Amino acid sequence: MNKQEKKNIGRALTALTMFVAILLTSCSGNNEVNDDGAAGTDVNPRVVFTGGLPRQVGELTLQTNKDGRVASITSDNGPTAVFEYRERYYRGGIRMPGVMMTVTEGSSRYVYALFLNAKGFVRRCMETVYKTTDGKEEKPYSDGWAFSYDKDDRLTYAYYVGAKKEINIDYLDGDIVQITNSTNGVREEPLHVVYHTAATSAPLANKGCLMFFDDFTGIDIGRLRYAYYAGILGKAPSHLPVAVTQKDKLRGGFDWRLSDTGYPLMLIYTETGAQQRTLRFAW
């Protein structure tokens, strides 16, 4: 991050932090962990990935630093996410972000100032976008995200400030069962996650602590999905999904190949009306 980027982020942090803090207070539930506290250097991804971090998740490759934290996430000919973990510090009496995440896509950069709660999960976030068009840098712009978790540290709510987009995630017995998206107060038809069908003898334990976003489950948080694999966006559901439905119609199916110890080796995902996608995993 260069000096100008730091200056731009510094200008926006105070106002956006106060705005998102007010938003979180108004949206908080009784079981949510709302307090800020952890420094970036307190982050331990093995709190989330209890059986060990994956080395590969589909096209993503994870690299760790000497402290065992995720230093970067790369993909072949694709985006790169780099993480910086900070000590606890304040500026003008305002708590500063514990983690900085920079995602590079071609000539564009997306810088995320991530504020953590006491358990080390992202509570609020400021996103600053730097784009270059025809060799000319555009004026950077910023936006914000807010997140909430339940008493088991699972992600239950996400709010994208600029788009006025809300994502509510409902759980039953440790598994996501319903995802409801709304934009500008207009609610979409909920999605439902299925863990057991007639073709499966029993739900598949999520030993690898995987969680899926975007077009897989409808939890569209954009590039912030990388933060999950750094262990700072809540804990995983208890079981692996086998299907996602909407209006009682199949939206997508998950066909898993597991190791002898129950860890995912491959996923064949079939989206209704689209081509199959194959993801491979390494541990």
Side-chain angles (χ1 to χ4, degrees):
M1 188 187 308
N2 61 39
K3 291 183 179 179
Q4 185 58 46
E5 290 175 354
K6 291 180 179 179
K7 187 176 181 180
N8 291 334
I9 289 175
R11 287 173 176 172
L13 270 174
T14 301
L16 189 61
T17 297
M18 292 177 65
F19 174 79
V20 176
I22 293 170
L23 168 72
L24 290 173
T25 301
S26 65
C27 294
S28 296
N30 293 332
N31 293 328
E32 292 169 347
V33 179
N34 300 322
D35 52 324
D36 288 356
T41 49
D42 295 329
V43 168
N44 179 6
R46 284 164 181 77
V47 170
V48 174
F49 297 95
T50 55
L53 276 165
R55 292 184 291 110
Q56 179 184 351
V57 178
E59 75 279 7
L60 304 179
T61 300
L62 282 66
Q63 293 92 22
T64 56
N65 60 23
K66 61 181 179 60
D67 299 311
R69 303 184 188 97
V70 174
S72 64
I73 300 176
T74 60
S75 57
D76 295 337
N77 302 315
T80 297
V82 176
F83 297 85
E84 176 192 349
Y85 302 91
R86 296 181 169 185
E87 298 281 355
R88 183 179 290 105
Y89 74 103
Y90 295 81
R91 179 185 295 163
I94 295 175
R95 178 68 178 276
M96 291 292 103
V99 180
M100 298 297 296
M101 179 179 78
T102 300
V103 179
T104 303
E105 295 181 5
S107 60
S108 299
R109 280 167 294 126
Y110 303 81
V111 180
Y112 297 86
L114 305 174
F115 296 81
L116 309 179
N117 66 20
K119 293 189 176 182
F121 300 121
V122 179
R123 182 62 181 150
R124 57 186 184 268
C125 159
M126 189 191 77
E127 173 189 49
T128 304
V129 180
Y130 302 86
K131 287 191 173 183
T132 301
T133 303
D134 297 329
K136 184 179 179 180
E137 289 190 7
E138 300 179 13
K139 182 179 179 180
Y141 60 91
S142 297
D143 214 325
W145 285 86
F147 299 94
S148 294
Y149 306 86
D150 64 15
K151 61 182 178 58
D152 298 313
D153 301 322
R154 293 187 171 99
L155 181 66
T156 58
Y157 179 81
Y159 183 78
Y160 191 27
V161 177
K164 296 182 179 179
K165 176 180 179 179
E166 291 184 276
I167 305 172
N168 285 280
I169 306 169
D170 297 322
Y171 292 79
L172 179 65
D173 298 329
D175 285 321
I176 297 172
V177 292
Q178 179 172 288
I179 300 146
T180 307
N181 292 280
S182 62
T183 304
N184 281 319
V186 179
R187 180 176 177 269
E188 299 177 13
E189 188 70 25
L191 295 104
H192 298 91
V193 185
V194 179
Y195 297 90
H196 183 42
T197 67
T200 57
S201 58
L204 302 172
N206 188 6
K207 290 190 175 182
C209 302
L210 300 176
M211 186 162 173
F212 293 93
F213 300 91
D214 303 330
D215 51 347
F216 287 99
T217 59
I219 305 174
D220 185 3
I221 57 172
R223 297 164 189 85
L224 280 165
R225 64 188 181 275
Y226 297 116
Y228 176 78
Y229 287 99
I232 53 177
L233 205 62
K235 295 183 178 180
S238 298
H239 296 94
L240 295 171
V242 296
V244 174
T245 64
Q246 190 173 36
K247 290 185 177 180
D248 295 324
K249 294 183 179 179
L250 182 67
R251 173 182 166 125
F254 299 74
D255 184 7
W256 296 95
R257 304 289 188 271
L258 306 179
S259 70
D260 292 340
T261 55
Y263 281 79
L265 297 177
M266 184 171 69
L267 165 63
I268 301 172
Y269 175 72
T270 304
E271 183 178 355
T272 302
Q275 291 184 334
Q276 285 186 338
R277 297 169 62 181
T278 299
L279 281 73
R280 289 180 169 79
F281 306 88
W283 305 90

